[in-house]
Amino acid sequence: MKFRFLIIFCCIASFINTDLLSQPVIKKKQTQSINKILGMQDNKNSYNDIAEIINYIDDIYGDVYKQLDSGKKITLYFGPAHGKDDTERWRGITTNRVGVTGLPEEHYSMIYSRKLYNLLVQNKFIDIAASDEYRKVLEGRSDSYHYMKFRDVCNNAKDAGAFMVIEMHMNNVAIFQKADGLINMPGIHMARDNAGRKMLINIRGSYSGFLTLYNKYDAGGFSRQYALNIRDTLVKKGYKANSWDYGAVADDRFTYYLNFPISVIYECGFISHPEEEKKLTDPGYIDEMVRTQYNMLLKTFNDIYGIDISGDELKVRPREYQSGIELLKLARLAIYFIKNADTQGANMAVKAMRKYYNSKTKDSINYYASIIQTINNSEYYYNKGIKYRKKRRFNKARAYFVRAKNSISRKSLYSGYRNKYGIAIYGN
């Protein structure tokens, strides 16, 4: 009898949807907006991906105090600035990122990175993750490392359970053009565009000053607050902020920002500017700048979470940040949907973000709203093309598909849509 019951039970179990049983568990209770997004997922892979995003944000950013109180640490992933290529030459040389004295950007970056690393590792609440090769550089055991793609930096950071990605860089001549440091003066000079092609450019002034590039996709606001804290403190100390957004720049150009929730790049100054290059090599100048980067990181944890990790004991001044966590989740989900050309999901996520619209969040929410507007506009052209294609008016359809593709930029964020429109234009 027991054997017969076991057979019947196994037969019933075989009819249960194994996809449902294999779905990852959402570890914490979610808001109505998140649950609504989860409920619309009818694909196992997309559900798994979204669950992973939500769980990561809850685990890493959700309750930092509780994690620290239980003995865990805040992990920062330290990415390398450029590095050597396959020919064992510094990319600072091969891509013209050199200073007045002819030294590559990596030379300066190592000096600053080591000083910041030494401050960070002394904090009992912070842990540093890095590639094995670059950790040797940070520890002063090596003066050589190789270039790592942004994609790999982000993947490594995620595998390490990192809170934030940081990189230490130096600037050169202009924001978008690269030229030899010896010619950083007004006039017509040989420079290179973003693709590395040589070009003549009229450099109208000498570029100088520090800036911090922060993750524009970070809707929670940590990256921005950190950059502003660095800028305000360094300016008070007499350091010159670069004219580009006065030293705190919201950047969205690289996958470095797109593929990881919180990240910053320190651009400490222009090594191509003769006077600034001298300052950038002065030990006192270096110490003060790096210490500011470190202290402002601690201040930002206090500003955002109400957590003081500057001493041996963890001090807490409770601060509400649940809305920031929710915005961070919704923003990451919006990015996921956009990368997969899921217009419905992207619109739903950004619409939910608007519930948290206030003076502190409006810039970030408006930015995502502008992204959605771009997508909806391109999808309008695409859907018009689909209608004409059904009517067998192929030339007209193709014209609308081309308009759809031309209406979005080449940022990696829109890669899913570019592929979708490309297939409509050219076929598989």
Side-chain angles (χ1 to χ4, degrees), residues 210 212 229-240 288-290 292-293 296:
F210 73 88
T212 304
N229 284 342
I230 291 174
R231 180 198 68 189
D232 294 345
T233 304
L234 285 177
V235 168
K236 286 180 181 178
K237 292 181 177 182
Y239 285 70
K240 178 185 177 183
E288 200 62 40
M289 176 168 281
V290 170
T292 298
Q293 293 167 347
M296 290 308 101

Side-chain angles (χ1 to χ4, degrees), residues 108-116 168 170 280 286 290:
Y108 306 86
S109 174
M110 282 191 282
I111 296 172
Y112 281 73
S113 296
R114 284 167 178 163
K115 285 190 174 291
L116 179 58
M168 190 75 72
M170 303 290 147
L280 286 166
I286 298 171
V290 170

Side-chain angles (χ1 to χ4, degrees), residues 137-153:
V137 171
L138 293 172
E139 294 174 349
R141 295 186 288 125
S142 172
D143 292 321
S144 176
Y145 64 93
H146 292 82
Y147 170 68
M148 182 184 295
K149 293 180 179 179
F150 284 152
R151 179 179 62 249
D152 296 328
V153 169

Side-chain angles (χ1 to χ4, degrees), residues 357-377:
Y357 192 93
N358 57 50
S359 58
K360 292 184 178 180
T361 62
K362 66 177 183 179
D363 288 345
S364 182
I365 293 174
N366 286 343
Y367 174 62
Y368 276 92
S370 69
I371 292 173
I372 288 298
Q373 185 176 0
T374 297
I375 289 170
N376 289 341
N377 183 52

